[in-house]
Amino acid sequence: MKENQISPAEWEIMRVVWTTHPITSTEIYNILQEKTNWKLPTTKTLIGRLVKKGMLTTQTKGRKYEYSPAVTEKQSIKETTDALLEQVCSTKVGQTIEVMLENSVLSQDDLASLEQLIEEKKKTAPEVVACNCTPGQCDCRHEGGK
Ligand SMILES: [Zn+2]
């Protein structure tokens, strides 16, 4: 996993901090109690990792540490989805997005903006997407291959 990527457990913390900040580790712990069974030290370890990764900033308030997000939720979602799509052959990105669409509950507004995006993409889409894989990692034909 890349250094700037957020693990599923770290996502739980980030979502709390995006919603409320600045916030203390105890407050984060209390909010997540309903969803996770993490102990306070676990929560603090996860927070520490996020600080190290540059995802959270620290301020001191009296003797307490308070945390705020250093990245936006939108930016993190983009990095996570980019990382996912980089893992598959470029010719399978379409299928991957199709699976995501199929498995998602989307509003009329969501679908309208997706439709608009697809119309926009159609204007410049290539006939065929070229494979970018290491030979042996997919069945695609490669330049220089046979
Ligand atoms: Zn490929």
Side-chain angles (χ1 to χ4, degrees), residues 14 17 20-23 55-59 66-71:
M14 289 307 294
V17 183
T20 309
H21 54 261
I23 188 166
M55 301 288 175
L56 292 178
T57 59
T58 319
Q59 304 91 354
E66 288 187 330
Y67 302 93
S68 294
V71 290

Side-chain angles (χ1 to χ4, degrees), residues 89-92 131-133 137-140 142:
C89 170
S90 53
T91 66
K92 291 182 180 117
C131 165
N132 60 347
C133 301
Q137 282 200 318
C138 79
D139 298 326
C140 305
H142 288 270

Side-chain angles (χ1 to χ4, degrees), residues 28-41:
I28 295 170
Y29 164 77
N30 286 335
I31 288 168
L32 287 175
Q33 266 311 285
E34 250 184 63
K35 192 171 179 181
T36 69
N37 283 315
W38 297 341
K39 303 224 162 25
L40 184 57

